[in-house]
Amino acid sequence: MNIKKKILANGFYFVIAMWLSSRLIIAIAMLLIAPLFPTSSSGVAATFSWDVFHAWDSVWYERIVTSGYDFSSDVKQMHAVAFFPLFPLLSRIIMFIGLPFKEAGILVNNAAFLAALIILYFWVQELYGTSTARWATATLAWCPYSLYGTVIYTEGLFLLCTTSALRAFDKKQYIWAAFWGALSTATRLPGVALIPAFLFVSWKERRGIKAYIASLTVGFGISLYSLYCQIQFGDALAFIHAQKAWRGDATGFAWQGWWQMLMQITIGFTNFKSGYIKEPLHPLLFLIIIVSGCLLWRFRLHLGMIKFCYGLYFLWLLLWLLTGDELVKIALVFGGIYLLWFSRAKIPLVTVAYGFSGLALILNTGITASSERYAYGIISLSMAFGLLLARYPRWGYPIMCFFGILMFTFSIRFARDFWVA
């Protein structure tokens, strides 16, 4: 018992425990459980190998490392230039020691994700204390989309760069803020959300010329990549034009996509596609769950807090089983907006500004695909959620259990080459 208390008291050991335990769940699901399922509809069978960590965007990063970038004026075709260079560059450097791409990519992403957890923990501990730091770290580590901090994707690296940049800017360490910010924009396009956030805080807090210079220097990463695209392909915005193969000509807020998702939650996919109530069971079950929740809230004082909480946990689980990923996506994106607004006076201004800037970027891509994964990559939400759970820890434990269930199922799906986010 004393050893357990000592480990928990040490912040570094706590972060290691959160990272290791969550990664262990992912590894068991992908390497041991997923191979037990039959071959997926895509014809890909999960095996006990590094291959289960390599799917979807991972293929493009391997293509960049092995064959370089490609682009043409035919934007209907997919081109590797849509993916930013820092992650494949670091993977290539690791490959120089003799590791194949898959092992190198996994190593880069996981090491960066662990580093991001460490930086987040000690930053939040400085601001709010140990309890909040633990919950913020647990949220980032156990959120089901932290799966992308383990497979061959850029989430771990992006979280490391943006968290480091935000912490440095908050502490007025402008050289480091510019450095990590530039790496962020060299990792993924959403890194540019740091620029308006830094500029706004520089103006709001009257920080001086150094803060403005650091804010603009954040764009150095994407500027270099743009220069490369101009020299190599004659199109400085090739990385944006190439993304049309994924999202077409869609721009702005995806009203239709979000409306369809809401309808799928409330009346079901079949009824939405049919245009009328063809299968009444889904909307009936949804209505029963909502009414039960209202009654539970109405009589919460008579039931007592324990029964009330367990009742809500049970209803949420039923609602998720009924509606699936759409519920999680809407809860993460729009619930994240509300949570950020609710916590705006409690977390550093730069994280609030970055959070809203990043969410605005996500909501104006013209599509809803991967929006929940990009929202997970906004560290401001983990910090705000950590503050909330530190205040209401009774809610934290069942939420982490639910996160674990989702993480386990998402890992199996990814290993079998099914779409997750």
Side-chain angles (χ1 to χ4, degrees), residues 239-418:
F239 53 89
I240 294 179
H241 297 152
Q243 292 178 11
K244 290 185 178 181
W246 282 269
R247 61 180 177 84
D249 294 323
T251 56
F253 185 75
W255 292 101
Q256 186 176 355
W258 291 110
W259 176 252
Q260 177 178 335
M261 209 174 301
L262 184 61
M263 289 297 100
Q264 287 180 224
I265 292 173
T266 54
I267 65 174
F269 179 78
T270 302
N271 294 324
F272 174 76
K273 284 297 182 183
S274 301
Y276 65 96
I277 304 300
K278 185 177 181 179
E279 294 182 356
L281 184 59
H282 184 108
L284 179 61
L285 290 174
F286 180 81
L287 185 61
I288 291 173
I289 293 172
I290 297 302
V291 171
S292 299
C294 293
L295 291 174
L296 197 62
W297 176 263
R298 174 68 178 80
F299 296 104
R300 67 189 184 281
L301 297 179
H302 299 282
L303 293 171
M305 186 55 66
I306 294 178
K307 291 182 180 178
F308 170 69
C309 290
Y310 278 112
L312 284 183
Y313 303 154
F314 179 69
L315 289 177
W316 174 262
L317 188 60
L318 289 179
L319 190 60
W320 169 66
L321 291 172
L322 177 66
T323 59
D325 292 353
E326 286 74 17
L327 177 68
V328 178
K329 178 180 286 192
I330 285 184
L332 183 57
V333 175
F334 293 97
I337 293 173
Y338 173 78
L339 179 63
L340 196 59
W341 177 258
F342 178 79
S343 307
R344 66 190 185 281
K346 303 173 185 176
I347 61 178
L349 180 60
V350 68
T351 59
V352 176
Y354 168 68
F356 282 121
S357 180
L359 287 166
L361 188 63
I362 292 170
L363 291 174
N364 283 279
T365 58
I367 59 174
T368 60
S370 301
S371 56
E372 68 273 46
R373 177 165 62 87
Y374 289 131
Y376 166 74
I378 299 175
I379 197 65
S380 314
L381 300 183
S382 295
M383 183 180 290
F385 203 50
L387 273 171
L388 182 67
L389 295 184
R391 185 177 179 183
Y392 303 105
R394 180 177 292 176
W395 296 94
Y397 299 108
I399 287 174
M400 291 302 135
C401 290
F402 179 67
F403 278 179
I405 294 171
L406 285 180
M407 183 189 295
F408 192 78
T409 58
F410 284 3
S411 300
I412 293 174
R413 284 164 53 183
F414 188 93
R416 299 183 65 218
D417 207 37
F418 287 125

Side-chain angles (χ1 to χ4, degrees), residues 143-158:
C143 179
Y145 298 103
S146 71
L147 161 69
Y148 290 96
T150 289
V151 297
I152 306 174
Y153 266 62
T154 60
E155 258 63 23
L157 182 60
F158 186 72

Side-chain angles (χ1 to χ4, degrees), residues 97-133:
I97 66 175
L99 288 178
F101 168 75
K102 291 175 184 176
E103 287 90 329
I106 292 169
L107 179 61
V108 170
N109 199 23
N110 280 271
F113 184 62
L114 175 58
L117 289 172
I118 293 172
I119 292 170
L120 175 66
Y121 179 92
F122 288 105
W123 183 24
V124 175
Q125 187 183 49
E126 289 175 9
L127 295 172
Y128 311 108
T130 301
S131 177
T132 304

